[in-house]
Structures are given as C-alpha cells and as structure tokens.
Amino acid sequence: MNRALRIFVAAVVFFGGVVSLLAAETASLTRGTAITDPDLLRKLDQHDALTISRLLWPERNAKFPLTTDLMFSWLSQLKEIPPAIDAEFDRYVARQKAVHPTETIGVGEGFDVQLFDRANLKSRDTRFVLAGIVNRMDRAYVAEDSCGEIRLIYRLARFETKPDGTRAATRLPMTFNLVMKARDARQADESGKPVTCAEVARRWLDNGDWQGLIGSSFYPYDAMLDRIETNIQISVAAKSALHDFRSDYLLKVFKYDATTKRFEESTLENQIDRDRILADHDLRRDLRDWLLAPDHLRDFDRGTVLIPEKFLAKAAVLPTPAGLDASSLQPEFGMMQGEGKGEPVFTDNDLVGALKQAAARGIDLQNVRSVAGFQRRLNDVTCAGCHQTRGIGGFHFPGADWLADKPSNSAIVPASPHFLGDQVRRRDILTAFAAGKRPDFSRGFASRPQTRGNSELAGTEYQDGWGAHCSLENAGSGTLDKSFTSWSCAKGLTCQAAAASRRIGMCFIKTR
C-alpha cells in the first residue's frame, strides 16, 4: 500500500470514530455565528419560513417551496441565471475538448468526463432546501452601512416517489447562496428606532429563537437583497493516462439590481482573471503596481483587500484536489516568478522591494512576510483558491444532510475545517460590534486560523491537529519562512510532507 493510500485509510478510520466529537465541536464553534442544526433547518424549510419563494416573491405571500422548473420561470428576478450558467457549461465543454480531444464528455456514466445534469435545474422533482444560515458581519468592511451580510445557503435536492409510495430525497452537488444585507440603514426596530450594527450582533450572540435572529437582521424586500452565489460540481473525471482523478466546480455570482429588479451576472470578488491578465502587458503592470502599493499590500496581508473590477473574472472553475504545490490547477499560477513559461506579473525583486517599502512606512504585515507568503495569499484571496483550501471537495458549507434518515459521515459535518476554524474570528467581530467597538476584520491564511483563536482551537483539526497544514521548516527540514513559522502540530502529531512541497505539510500521527 503506497504512502498516500495509507494516509487516506488512516484518516477514514480516525474520522469515522470521532463524528460525535466533531458534532459537539461544531455546535460550540458556530454558537452565535451560524445556524447549522439540521432539525431546526428542517423546520424552517418545511414550514416555508425561509424558502426562496417566500423571500423573493413576498408580494404573492408565497409560503410554499418552488420546484426548479417553476422557480426559474416564475421568479423574474432569476431569469438571467440559467442562460449564464448554460454559457459557462458550453465554454467549459469546449475547453475540455481542446485540451483532451480523445476523452468523451457528457451527462452519464458512459463518459470519461461526467457533467452535472442541467436538467436538474428544470425539473419538477428538484428544489433547493435550506442547508444553513451564516452571519457574515465580519464582511462589514466591504459596505459598512450594511453591517456585513447574512447568508442563506440552499442545497439542490431531488425528490422521488418509491414503489411503496414513500418519498426519497437525494442531495445534488450544487449550492445556491442568497446573500442579504445584515441591515438596511432605513430599517427600524419594534420601537421605531433605527436598527444598529450593535443590535444585530447582540441578537445573534444572545442565541435567541430564530425569529428574533433572522427577523431582526433583514426583511424580504429589495433594499436587503445583495447577490446570489452559485457553486456547481460541473464535472467528475476518473483517473486516466492523461490526468489524476479530479472534480471541477463552477462558481458564479449574480448581483441584485434594484432598478431592473433582476440578479445580473457579476464579477467574483477578488477572483483575478489570470488568463486575461497574463495575455495583456498593460494589465500585468497595472495589477502589479496597484497591489504592491503599501496601503493595498497592507489590506492584502490582512485579507480585506478589494481588487478593482477591471482585473476580475465573471466565473471561476476550481479543480480539486489541487494539492499544496504551485500548479496550473491553482488560480494564481503563472503570475509568480518561476511559474509557467510567460512573463510573470510579480518577480521576487518586486515583492522584496514592496515588503521593504511597507516596513519603511511602518506597516506591520501579519501574514505576508515572504515571497512564499505572498504567493499563498494570492491564491487564497480568490474565490477559487479559498474553496481549494481545506474544503469538502469544492464546498465550504454543504450543510448537514437533514433529508436522509441515515446520512453518511461526510454529510453529518455541515462545513469544512476552514469554515469552522474561522468561527472564533467571526465571533470576536460580532462581540466588538455588540460592544460598540471597531472590529478587527483581518484574517489569516485559509490554511490556518489566526493565532487569536488559539485557546479555543488548540489541538483540534481546525488549528494544529490531525490534517492541519503545518510548516515543514518548523520540523527541521530547512530554513524558516517568516510567513509560516507559527504553523506547528499538536502534541503527538508530526509535520509530514503530503506532496513535493518544501514548505507546507500536514499534521499526522507519529509513526516509526
């Protein structure tokens, strides 16, 4: 048995024995920041309290779930979503045929590359079910008046009638994320006073009943709608002579336009359009100069940078698994010196000079403290790179499966290690809001939570336990890299190379 397979088998055995422990950790970590309990989500969905039709069709008082054939035809706000997704599928198929002309691609098991069946988006047997509700007031730096966001995450499911007359449900690999503003500046509470960010945060932290939490955060009218994010497992391909096993995920964003009352195709936040930039000398120069300016580099280091739209893409396809080493599977590949064949956007000298300039300005960089740190942040600041890091396939929040009587272990845990490890930071921000203080919106790398969560995360897989990313240099394999010196493993674990990477490994049980 090769080493990779031994690690996989050990992980299956290990995680199979700690499902209840993970469930307990989830409840503790998401307290006040997310609603993940499957029983509560089932009630909210089945009682039509938070269905997509109720939220987007309030004038009809639509207290019933819409199957996808009706949802995309009856709700005028969603009219542009199916054709935009269809266009991305067409482009994806064309690229696959160009790269691997000998492989077949289509819907069904008879193809080398099996596509997601888009008929599921036009079926009377499928609909989106509520998979989770997440407080993202930690994103208030994007639009302070809105106090951040509240995200309602729905998972596509197929409902079928068995021969005995019972109904069976199967979840499908697509999420539909309805992003609402955490508040509208004109919104008032029960007494007629304006709802403040502090009040929204306090109600979440008080962990009251769901009506108090959600009803106080938004009301289903146009002013509260922000965007829709979709994530589809666009294809699955078995290992072949041409490539390893991989599954590709398509990310799209549709911003709400209050004038047209439609969700319209938009760029993805910080999703650098790599191919377009690498092909354009002026764009390469402009991106380098903009991002390495001291103030922007500071925001980039803290994870709060907002890259201008002219550099961004309207779709992202993220392959998984992508691995730890730089490769064409990662969104930034080719932009750094030594990657790819063309002219890079950032040379080592560019970055060393920018780091020195920031230091001379008195800017204390917390994460990006080396060329390797810049490269890692350039990946995980993008939508695609973040989803490739410590995710469940291409998802960070698939939600616990409340449809099945006996869900698999993977469906019991509602979210990825990255999502759960970030909850301490998000709760700190809610606590600051509730106290009327200015929050610290900074975040660490997607691979490792910030050290400010050490006390609560110590020893768990989310911080420095089994499966966590770690610094191989800390294990004595080379010189220290300042960006990763704190990435150690818990007692009883050792940092081992999971790929050819010389810097980053994973924490495993020590073996002889």
Side-chain angles (χ1 to χ4, degrees), residues 434-452:
K437 299 178 180 178
R438 173 72 181 178
D440 173 7
F441 293 111
S442 67
R443 65 173 178 85
F445 291 108
S447 300
R448 296 276 298 205
Q450 285 173 299
T451 55
R452 73 201 215 187

Side-chain angles (χ1 to χ4, degrees), residues 269-270 300 303 305 307 376-383 443:
E269 184 177 293
N270 291 344
F300 179 74
V305 71
I307 297 174
R376 183 160 288 266
R377 178 61 99 196
L378 193 59
N379 265 322
D380 79 20
V381 78
T382 67
C383 297
R443 65 173 178 85

Side-chain angles (χ1 to χ4, degrees), residues 214-282:
I214 299 169
S216 67
S217 301
F218 60 80
Y219 182 82
Y221 60 97
D222 284 7
M224 305 306 293
L225 299 176
D226 187 78
R227 66 189 183 277
I228 285 170
E229 301 171 340
T230 61
N231 185 356
I232 304 172
Q233 186 187 58
I234 192 171
S235 75
V236 176
K239 182 176 181 178
S240 71
L242 300 175
H243 53 73
D244 290 331
F245 166 84
R246 62 183 279 183
S247 55
D248 288 352
Y249 295 79
L250 171 66
L251 305 180
K252 293 286 291 179
V253 171
F254 302 88
K255 189 79 174 175
Y256 187 71
D257 186 323
T259 303
T260 63
K261 297 188 181 299
R262 297 281 182 92
F263 287 94
E264 300 179 351
E265 189 177 22
S266 176
T267 55
L268 282 69
E269 184 177 293
N270 291 344
Q271 182 63 43
I272 299 170
D273 193 336
R274 178 184 67 184
D275 294 340
R276 183 166 57 88
I277 290 170
L278 290 177
D280 188 316
H281 173 79
D282 291 340

Side-chain angles (χ1 to χ4, degrees), residues 424-480:
V424 178
R425 181 189 70 92
R426 297 182 190 183
R427 195 182 314 125
D428 284 349
I429 290 171
L430 289 184
T431 301
F433 266 126
K437 299 178 180 178
R438 173 72 181 178
D440 173 7
F441 293 111
S442 67
R443 65 173 178 85
F445 291 108
S447 300
R448 296 276 298 205
Q450 285 173 299
T451 55
R452 73 201 215 187
N454 272 357
S455 59
E456 191 165 349
L457 296 173
T460 69
E461 61 156 327
Y462 314 121
Q463 175 73 12
D464 57 5
W466 177 274
H469 290 190
C470 53
S471 171
L472 286 174
E473 288 82 358
N474 283 346
S477 66
T479 58
L480 296 175

Side-chain angles (χ1 to χ4, degrees), residues 366-388:
Q366 303 169 357
N367 301 290
V368 179
R369 306 177 67 191
S370 64
V371 172
F374 183 92
Q375 185 268 347
R376 183 160 288 266
R377 178 61 99 196
L378 193 59
N379 265 322
D380 79 20
V381 78
T382 67
C383 297
C386 181
H387 276 260
Q388 286 176 326

Side-chain angles (χ1 to χ4, degrees), residues 75-209:
L75 299 180
S76 60
Q77 302 101 313
L78 308 182
K79 294 280 188 181
E80 294 192 16
I81 294 180
I85 290 175
D86 286 342
E88 295 297 344
F89 268 74
D90 292 342
R91 282 189 281 268
Y92 178 82
V93 170
R95 286 194 299 268
Q96 288 295 312
K97 288 181 176 180
V99 175
H100 299 301
T102 60
E103 285 194 330
T104 59
I105 181 169
V107 176
E109 296 183 358
F111 293 92
D112 298 320
V113 179
Q114 299 175 30
L115 289 174
F116 175 86
D117 188 355
R118 281 174 284 169
N120 289 314
L121 298 179
K122 304 173 184 177
S123 172
R124 66 179 61 181
D125 296 320
T126 60
R127 72 174 180 90
F128 289 95
V129 300
L130 187 63
I133 306 168
V134 181
N135 182 307
R136 292 305 307 270
M137 292 182 72
D138 62 290
R139 286 181 44 78
Y141 65 88
V142 177
E144 293 192 14
D145 285 347
S146 302
C147 306
E149 306 161 355
I150 306 297
R151 301 185 178 187
L152 285 86
I153 302 173
Y154 299 87
R155 180 75 178 227
L156 186 62
R158 179 190 295 115
F159 295 82
E160 299 174 307
T161 302
K162 294 181 178 181
D164 62 3
T166 60
R167 294 277 285 174
T170 304
R171 300 207 313 172
L172 302 174
M174 177 178 179
T175 58
F176 182 100
N177 182 7
L178 180 59
V179 182
M180 314 289 291
K181 299 172 184 177
R183 71 147 192 174
D184 178 66
R186 298 164 297 178
Q187 189 178 2
D189 61 18
E190 295 81 356
S191 64
K193 297 180 180 178
V195 173
T196 64
C197 297
E199 177 62 19
V200 176
R202 280 195 294 268
R203 294 192 184 186
W204 276 83
L205 289 170
D206 289 344
N207 211 19
D209 71 329

